[in-house]
Amino acid sequence: MSNGNKIAQDKLKLLYILNFINVPLTNIEITNFILDNNILDYFTLQGLLSDLCDSKFVVLNSKKGNEYYAISEAGIAALDMFGEILPEYFKNEVKQNLSYLKKEIKKHRELLGHYYKRKDD
């Protein structure tokens, strides 16, 4: 596989992950998942995220002091057109590992509280 094809496939992998999880992710969350599953190295990942943002396939939004990456409409369209390039083993790996990650992310972002009635008034 030529270097250009590898870069394109790696970008599609990132788009697939963002589309599958369907929850905006921080850079740390994306990085941890990618590195824990040996999908890309750190520097390649950061470069690809930057490229995807520059080309408007991924949007970076700020909320409550954190920045979150999410796939854009253009990214979804690109994934629809070229997603068949991704290997089936990769898709299966994402489905297995990302289901767990999605639950963990939601759990960490939820604010849980307990309250008790102290008096009738």
Side-chain angles (χ1 to χ4, degrees):
M1 180 182 312
S2 74
N3 192 34
N5 287 342
K6 171 120 176 64
I7 292 171
Q9 188 177 45
D10 289 343
K11 287 180 180 180
L12 284 172
K13 286 180 179 181
L14 285 175
L15 291 175
Y16 184 83
I17 289 167
L18 289 170
N19 188 56
F20 182 84
I21 198 161
N22 200 26
V23 173
L25 299 172
T26 64
N27 191 293
I28 293 170
E29 291 166 339
I30 295 171
T31 301
N32 286 341
F33 176 76
I34 297 293
L35 295 179
D36 288 348
N37 292 285
N38 295 317
I39 297 171
L40 299 167
D41 66 84
Y42 176 82
F43 297 105
T44 302
L45 169 63
Q46 299 307 315
L48 294 176
L49 279 173
S50 178
D51 289 349
L52 288 169
C53 285
D54 291 345
S55 60
K56 306 290 190 235
F57 291 122
V58 171
V59 292
L60 183 61
N61 296 315
S62 294
K63 185 178 179 183
K64 297 182 183 177
N66 292 320
E67 292 186 322
Y68 294 93
Y69 290 93
I71 190 168
S72 68
E73 292 296 323
I76 293 170
L79 191 58
D80 287 343
M81 282 191 281
F82 301 109
E84 73 276 351
I85 294 172
L86 294 172
E88 206 58 41
Y89 76 87
F90 172 76
K91 293 177 183 179
N92 292 333
E93 183 179 312
V94 168
K95 287 175 187 172
Q96 281 182 328
N97 295 331
L98 218 56
S99 297
Y100 169 76
L101 178 66
K102 190 172 184 174
K103 290 176 189 174
E104 286 295 308
I105 289 170
K106 284 186 177 185
K107 186 171 80 174
H108 282 93
R109 290 186 186 171
E110 289 178 348
L111 179 61
L112 300 176
H114 300 280
Y115 61 94
Y116 304 95
K117 186 174 180 180
R118 290 172 42 175
K119 293 181 182 179
D120 285 336
D121 55 349

